[in-house]
Amino acid sequence: MTGVRLTHKSPSSDETIIVGRKMGECLDAGDFIALTGELGSGKTWFTKGLALGLGVSSDTVVTSPSFALMNAYEGRVTLFHMDVYRLESISDFLDTGLEEYFYGDGVVVMEWADRWPEILPDCSIQVNFTVLDEQSREVAMSGHHVRAVRILEKIKRELER
């Protein structure tokens, strides 16, 4: 199947949360979201939206797990939020055992997923954040797996409303 790529200009962190929520509403156990972009580009804001879309309580504080490596949030599906920024090598990552979550009963979102693309599941949805100015971000989403394509096509329809 041919892949899908869509780009959305987000003028604020609130809009980035909305885009993440729309994606989260489409996700089910086994889905994998690979986030890339420089520090401060919106990865954690997007993940806050994903959590809301997955039914995580709006009272839950979603933060980047930079030092914990992974946070889990309970919703209709568990969200496993990973941040691999501090890890220096693929062997460091593999030593953590985090790859065991890749094919589990939850949704995985990994920040800094471009560090070791060879370990990402084929079904991954890539989401790249580019800083346009102080407030605006470009959110580029892509995927090739049949499941990823279905999710992205649904999000595209939602964003065009």
Side-chain angles (χ1 to χ4, degrees):
M1 175 172 250
T2 305
V4 169
R5 179 176 169 85
L6 72 113
T7 304
H8 180 77
K9 183 176 178 183
S10 176
S12 67
S13 55
D14 288 342
E15 175 70 12
T16 301
I17 290 172
I18 289 168
V19 175
R21 182 181 52 76
K22 288 179 184 301
M23 181 176 283
E25 291 169 351
C26 300
L27 299 176
D28 286 312
D31 290 331
F32 190 100
I33 311 303
L35 305 181
T36 59
E38 63 187 73
L39 282 169
S41 61
K43 296 181 295 293
T44 302
W45 289 108
F46 184 83
T47 303
K48 291 174 190 253
L50 277 177
L52 290 171
L54 286 167
V56 174
S57 169
S58 60
D59 294 334
T60 301
V61 177
V62 175
T63 60
S64 184
S66 298
F67 296 100
L69 297 179
M70 185 183 78
N71 293 332
Y73 302 101
E74 294 301 323
R76 67 177 168 77
V77 176
T78 302
L79 173 62
F80 298 105
H81 180 194
M82 300 176 184
D83 183 330
V84 299
Y85 182 75
R86 292 185 321 107
L87 300 176
E88 294 184 18
S89 68
I90 193 168
S91 63
D92 286 348
F93 176 81
L94 295 173
D95 287 346
T96 67
L98 290 174
E99 77 280 2
E100 294 175 18
Y101 292 92
F102 285 14
Y103 304 98
D105 294 334
V107 169
V108 174
V109 60
M110 179 191 282
E111 295 191 33
W112 304 100
D114 52 339
R115 303 280 307 270
W116 310 292
E118 64 273 19
I119 65 171
L120 301 179
D122 291 337
C123 63
S124 298
I125 296 174
Q126 308 291 322
V127 184
N128 184 67
F129 299 84
T130 303
V131 176
L132 300 176
D133 60 39
E134 194 171 309
Q135 295 295 319
S136 301
R137 306 294 188 257
E138 179 184 84
V139 183
M141 299 169 267
S142 62
H144 299 282
H145 188 273
V146 67
R147 172 85 180 129
V149 168
R150 282 189 196 127
I151 291 167
L152 291 170
E153 287 175 345
K154 185 171 184 179
I155 294 166
K156 182 178 181 181
R157 288 190 301 273
E158 288 290 318
L159 292 173
E160 289 172 348
R161 289 183 174 186

